Amino acid sequence: VARSHRALSAGAPRGLQTLAAMFEKVVIVDCRGHLMGRLASIVAKELLSGQRVVCVRAEELNVTGSLYRNKLKYGEFLRKRTNTNPSHGPFHFRAPSRMLHRAIRGMVPHKTPRGAAAMERLKCFDGIPAPYDKMKRMVIPAALRVTRLRSGRKFCVLGRLSEEVGWKHSAAVKMLEEKRKARDKAYADEQRKQKAAAAKSKAAATKSIGASAQVLAAHGYA
């Protein structure tokens, strides 16, 4: 996750004249095409350093290894339970967002006050619910599958794995995502039309004022 920095003022003590981290209010990470473990480790560090993170489209995460292999591994996990009373845990989440949340939790000391505070800064969602569908979304280059997994290696999509182990809301999320993409396309088309109209009007105005356009451009009014 990209983070901007600034230097402390020159009047600060010598030991404090270092680069100070400047946090964004919230960072929205689009999980599509990322490897789950690598994304989880980077997000965990950001949470512990104080950054608020929202992970969206968790169902589009990738997991290394074939779907068959990952189903076997998750099947072994499902067999782990409290023998005397299974309601005591461990709890086996089926939704992709909860699987990601648990993976991040495993990389954070969540039983300490510092770790508990870090986990409160995290939100994970299937799909892209409001208001995050109108906000800028980021990727993490160090966790992208195309940059980290060798070509030809097997991988599976977390949403498909979740369906295989009991997630029942895949169809609903897909329907909502299709509606969101249609809205985004309509908005992008409208913005494109407005920019084209503005450029056309500017060209017409420049042509009408003739030689004065160069004088205006020299003073930054073009």
Side-chain angles (χ1 to χ4, degrees):
V1 176
R3 184 186 295 163
S4 58
H5 295 82
R6 67 172 175 83
L8 294 176
S9 62
R14 187 174 181 182
L16 296 179
Q17 290 178 0
T18 57
L19 293 177
M22 295 296 292
F23 295 104
E24 302 290 336
K25 188 174 182 181
V26 63
V27 172
I28 295 96
V29 178
D30 188 351
C31 297
R32 180 176 179 269
H34 290 73
L35 291 174
M36 184 167 74
R38 288 183 179 272
L39 180 138
S41 64
I42 293 169
V43 169
K45 281 192 174 184
E46 291 294 321
L47 294 171
L48 288 168
S49 66
Q51 177 65 58
R52 292 183 180 275
V53 181
V54 176
C55 298
V56 295
R57 284 213 283 189
E59 75 279 2
E60 297 289 340
L61 276 167
N62 294 151
V63 183
T64 55
S66 66
L67 177 64
Y68 179 75
R69 176 182 172 83
N70 281 295
K71 276 182 66 177
L72 291 178
K73 288 170 69 175
Y74 205 83
E76 291 176 3
F77 172 57
L78 290 175
R79 284 193 289 274
K80 291 178 171 62
R81 65 174 193 165
T82 302
N83 203 27
T84 53
N85 191 346
S87 66
H88 289 176
F91 304 107
H92 313 100
F93 300 115
R94 266 69 167 192
S97 56
R98 300 307 298 168
M99 288 184 181
L100 175 62
H101 190 278
R102 186 187 173 97
I104 295 170
R105 192 189 73 172
M107 302 178 187
V108 172
H110 65 278
K111 293 186 179 181
T112 65
R114 173 173 172 254
M119 291 306 297
E120 287 179 1
R121 301 185 197 109
L122 173 67
K123 291 181 181 180
C124 297
F125 295 101
D126 302 313
I128 309 180
Y132 306 112
D133 57 338
K134 301 287 194 301
M135 299 170 71
K136 183 178 180 180
R137 299 186 288 275
M138 310 288 236
V139 300
I140 303 176
L144 287 171
R145 176 182 56 80
V146 292
T147 61
R148 306 308 300 178
L149 190 64
R150 185 181 297 173
S151 178
R153 295 295 187 183
K154 293 180 180 179
F155 68 93
C156 68
V157 179
L158 186 61
R160 176 71 193 283
L161 176 63
S162 296
E163 287 182 58
E164 296 287 337
V165 297
W167 184 44
K168 300 185 186 334
H169 303 291
S170 174
V173 171
K174 286 177 182 175
M175 180 191 68
L176 292 171
E177 278 295 281
E178 286 173 4
K179 290 182 178 180
R180 179 191 64 80
K181 289 175 183 176
R183 287 197 305 269
D184 288 354
K185 185 178 184 301
Y187 176 77
D189 292 343
E190 183 62 28
Q191 289 294 102
R192 205 174 295 114
K193 288 179 183 177
Q194 290 181 7
K195 286 182 180 179
K200 188 176 179 180
S201 300
K202 184 177 178 181
T206 303
K207 186 177 180 180
S208 65
I209 60 178
S212 302
Q214 295 181 355
V215 179
L216 290 170
H219 290 80
Y221 292 101

